[in-house]
Amino acid sequence: MKFISVAIDGPVGAGKSTAARECARRLGFVYCDTGALYRAVGVFCVREGVDLSEPKQVAGCLDRIKVEISLVDGIQHVFLNGEDVSEEIRLPQMSMAASAVSAVPEVRKALLGIQRDIAEKNNVVMDGRDIGTVVLPNADVKIFLTAKPEIRAKRRYDELAKKGVETTFDEVLNDLNERDYNDSHRAEAPLKMAEDAALADTSELDFEQSVELICGIVRERRDVL
Ligand code: DC
């Protein structure tokens, strides 16, 4: 059986995870947040005190890392060597750690199979940075989701404030710009729009409108498939 795959890529805070998750729910597809995999590798390295600016040190950890994702009550959980680290990966310091480890080619290679395997076995909405370009180059639908940096930072800031994380808007904006720069300038699988992706800008849209925009693109593309 051929499953349908929807690849959603874009920069930090474009609303990928929230909008893509809801879009997957409405379509009845599995949602896969691939950033969680890089974050789990980041958690391992931070715990072990690995120098994240040393790609060799990061790559050297890989044989001690087993990352798995599975659905618990329909929600994606990520496991690091059998331990559920779904909450820890969301700590702000893990964002930068994930961005650093994701630039290491060996890390990307190690996580590729897990992602492709999910798409081979499910109708999936998968989000990340290189889904439409590298992980699923033959995805049925490709969307590049973005929004103006200040708007993305404001959304991220509100999200963190709601969780009680102490930070400032400027800190969030700087962090976001730094991560976007790293993610789009690395040599291996940098963040970029696939040639055959639809561009979706959510700067002026609220959550519901963003979800509808994505679902609309998917429905439109599926009709012509
Ligand atoms: O989507 P996120 O913020 O949870 O991703 C965390 C980091 O992981 C991000 O800064 C870059 C990296 N990443 C990646 O390189 N490729 C992906 N497909 C997903 C995430």
Side-chain angles (χ1 to χ4, degrees), residues 9-13 16-17 33-39 89-90 94-103 108 115 127-131 135 156 179-180 182-183 186 188-189 191:
D9 292 302
V12 175
K16 291 192 305 294
S17 53
D33 159 19
T34 62
L37 297 168
Y38 293 92
R39 286 170 179 268
I89 60 167
R90 298 294 155 204
M94 298 312 172
S95 302
M96 210 52 92
S99 186
V101 303
S102 74
R108 306 203 69 81
Q115 300 168 76
D127 84 39
R129 303 293 188 286
D130 63 336
I131 310 306
V135 179
R156 185 48 62 103
R179 260 209 303 149
D180 280 350
N182 291 346
D183 296 345
R186 63 180 179 226
E188 189 88 4
L191 166 67

Side-chain angles (χ1 to χ4, degrees), residues 49-126:
V50 171
D51 182 348
L52 294 170
S53 63
E54 284 294 329
K56 271 200 185 128
Q57 273 199 36
V58 174
C61 293
L62 284 169
D63 57 357
R64 288 183 288 140
I65 299 179
K66 186 170 182 218
V67 180
E68 292 160 295
I69 45 184
S70 66
L71 292 180
V72 179
D73 296 331
I75 295 170
Q76 176 181 303
H77 282 240
V78 59
F79 296 84
L80 171 63
N81 295 331
E83 176 192 349
D84 189 343
V85 290
S86 308
E87 288 202 3
E88 193 172 347
I89 60 167
R90 298 294 155 204
L91 296 173
Q93 66 266 37
M94 298 312 172
S95 302
M96 210 52 92
S99 186
V101 303
S102 74
V104 178
E106 289 87 346
V107 172
R108 306 203 69 81
K109 202 168 154 217
L111 299 178
L112 192 59
I114 304 175
Q115 300 168 76
R116 287 192 174 153
D117 196 51
I118 292 169
E120 257 168 43
K121 295 177 181 147
N122 302 279
N123 289 322
V124 72
V125 175
M126 187 173 283

